[in-house]
Amino acid sequence: LIWVGIWTFSFFDNDTIQIKFNFFVYINSLGRLYLMPFLALIFLCFVDKKEDYETILICFLIIFCIGSLSMLLQQIIGGINVLGTFGAPRFLGLAPFPSTLGNITVYGSGVAIAIVICMMNTKINLFLKSFLMAILILGVFLTMQKSALINLLIGIAALIIFLKTRTLLSLTVLTLIGFFFIALFIPDILVNIVSLFANTFGFQIEYGGTGLFHAGLYDSIIDRFIDRQVDWLKTPNNIKELLFGYGLPGGTDAMGYYFHTNMWHDSRLNPQLTIGTTHNAYLDLYQMGGIFLPLVFITLGLSVTKDLFFTWLNNKDNLSKILFISNLIFLLNCFVANGILFHPIISLPFWLSIAY
């Protein structure tokens, strides 16, 4: 990562890239790059007790619940400008708003981890777990992001695999009861649920004579995934670009670099724009640091996750179990979310697991 900061200066020598060097943007980008790895070192040096790690994860859960409630609040009082920009709804249903976590894409990328932390924490009682779970599910359908729905399903799958059947059934019943009362308070959330399922999986569902599937820009999640990975990746022009990437601007807006154009990042629409985000953390790491940077990250992630698995297996350590499952979900999300590795909230359990 230190090399990425240094190699960045070679990026600005390329006249084909539509961006100029700015010292303040560069310093801001360095802060985004180094904040979470540095925080992992702080955890390693100053967090000694297992209970402290558990407390940090509880704080992570609370932050996500507040994020969900902040979206609910905006449905009542209208958008809160300080939380970010918001526009017309993309799908039929309630308009999505940003949350205290950031823009509307942030919540979806981390909600499955929050679900795992909530449901597998042995220090939270059954009724509180169900209440918090209902709040987290509410946020999924308020943010109206395909990634949020997929992560909800991933989180539920993790619970089915790793929770005891009796516990899972009790939590399911109580959560459904809690969500039923939420639906009574916000009946339009039911339209959001059907609409999000339709647009995520490409189904055509009719509601009141209106089709809930919007074709065109909002294709099914599989089509969007393939489109972004294949068409938006900048292919290397020479061996230097393959080995070393393009520095911090290779991370595009996740690293604070916004290409000044009235067109979107898609180079098919704007041939002058020669680099853009792939919405894939592994591929964006490649654009930043060349072929070796994502390989180093993958090695680190798999190594830590393996150690957590064996610690859980051999010592029956529940915290290792939670972090192990969280890391699996996080590494999976890296395929569809470019900025989560350095996001100060979503990536927190991952960097915490390295210290643990």
Side-chain angles (χ1 to χ4, degrees):
L1 294 181
I2 294 175
W3 168 251
V4 171
I6 298 173
W7 182 248
T8 295
F9 289 98
S10 67
F11 177 91
F12 300 106
D13 295 332
N14 190 342
D15 294 333
T16 64
I17 304 298
Q18 306 299 308
I19 191 170
K20 294 181 179 180
F21 178 74
N22 182 300
F23 177 77
F24 295 103
V25 172
Y26 176 73
I27 294 299
N28 174 59
S29 186
L30 282 181
R32 297 187 184 202
L33 183 69
Y34 296 139
L35 173 62
M36 296 312 293
F38 182 69
L39 190 60
L41 293 177
I42 293 178
F43 289 148
L44 182 62
C45 295
F46 297 103
V47 181
D48 299 325
K49 299 178 181 178
K50 178 181 176 180
E51 291 76 13
D52 294 333
Y53 283 93
E54 293 173 335
T55 300
I56 294 172
L57 289 181
I58 291 295
C59 290
F60 176 89
L61 172 60
I62 292 172
I63 289 171
F64 260 82
C65 289
I66 292 174
S68 176
L69 293 175
S70 69
M71 289 187 284
L72 174 61
L73 177 63
Q74 290 175 94
Q75 294 294 339
I76 300 171
I77 67 173
I80 302 174
N81 292 323
V82 71
L83 297 182
T85 58
F86 47 88
R90 304 186 307 161
F91 311 134
L92 190 64
L94 298 169
F97 290 99
S99 70
T100 50
L101 297 170
N103 66 48
I104 58 174
T105 62
V106 173
Y107 185 89
S109 299
V111 68
I113 298 175
I115 288 172
V116 168
I117 293 172
C118 174
M119 293 305 205
M120 296 190 176
N121 192 306
T122 56
K123 296 184 179 180
I124 304 177
N125 69 58
L126 195 65
F127 291 99
L128 182 56
K129 284 182 179 181
S130 302
F131 176 71
L132 296 177
M133 181 68 172
I135 292 176
L136 292 173
I137 294 175
L138 174 64
V140 168
F141 296 108
L142 288 178
T143 193
M144 289 300 285
Q145 290 290 302
K146 297 175 183 179
S147 62
L149 178 56
I150 296 298
N151 269 278
L152 172 61
L153 298 178
I154 291 173
I156 292 173
L159 298 181
I160 293 173
I161 294 171
F162 294 101
L163 276 183
K164 295 180 179 179
T165 304
R166 183 176 178 179
T167 302
L168 181 63
L169 288 175
S170 300
L171 287 171
T172 301
V173 171
L174 291 173
T175 300
L176 289 175
I177 292 173
F179 197 78
F180 171 76
F181 284 106
I182 291 175
L184 289 178
F185 179 65
I186 318 172
D188 287 342
I189 196 67
L190 299 177
V191 180
N192 278 38
I193 294 172
V194 178
S195 179
L196 186 56
F197 268 97
N199 284 278
T200 299
F201 299 107
F203 300 142
Q204 180 68 44
I205 301 176
E206 296 289 334
Y207 176 82
T210 303
L212 295 183
F213 173 59
H214 293 195
L217 177 60
Y218 307 110
D219 299 326
S220 70
I221 192 167
I222 296 176
D223 294 334
R224 293 288 282 167
F225 174 79
I226 296 173
D227 173 70
R228 290 179 174 181
Q229 315 302 309
V230 175
D231 294 325
W232 293 22
L233 175 66
K234 178 173 172 56
T235 54
N237 296 315
N238 51 58
I239 189 65
K240 183 177 72 172
E241 291 183 358
L242 175 66
L243 294 178
F244 304 115
Y246 314 98
L248 293 170
T252 60
D253 29 2
M255 287 292 107
Y257 282 93
Y258 302 91
F259 293 86
H260 300 290
T261 172
N262 57 0
M263 305 293 285
W264 185 237
H265 289 284
D266 194 341
S267 59
R268 296 168 299 170
L269 300 178
N270 181 10
Q272 289 184 330
L273 187 60
T274 58
I275 190 170
T277 179
T278 61
H279 292 264
N280 181 312
Y282 302 107
L283 295 181
D284 272 21
L285 282 175
Y286 155 72
Q287 291 189 157
M288 292 169 60
I291 191 69
F292 295 109
L293 186 57
L295 292 177
V296 169
F297 167 58
I298 291 170
T299 302
L300 173 64
L302 292 179
S303 175
V304 171
T305 304
K306 173 187 68 69
D307 290 344
L308 289 168
F309 173 74
F310 283 110
T311 302
W312 162 44
L313 209 61
N314 296 328
N315 302 330
K316 307 301 179 183
D317 180 27
N318 190 61
L319 180 56
S320 293
K321 177 182 179 181
I322 292 174
L323 290 173
F324 162 69
I325 300 169
S326 297
N327 276 8
L328 290 180
I329 295 172
F330 179 79
L331 294 173
L332 185 61
N333 268 276
C334 284
F335 283 104
V336 293
N338 62 306
I340 63 173
L341 178 58
F342 303 106
H343 192 280
I345 298 175
I346 301 176
S347 68
L348 179 62
F350 173 74
W351 295 107
L352 188 69
S353 72
I354 294 175
Y356 183 70

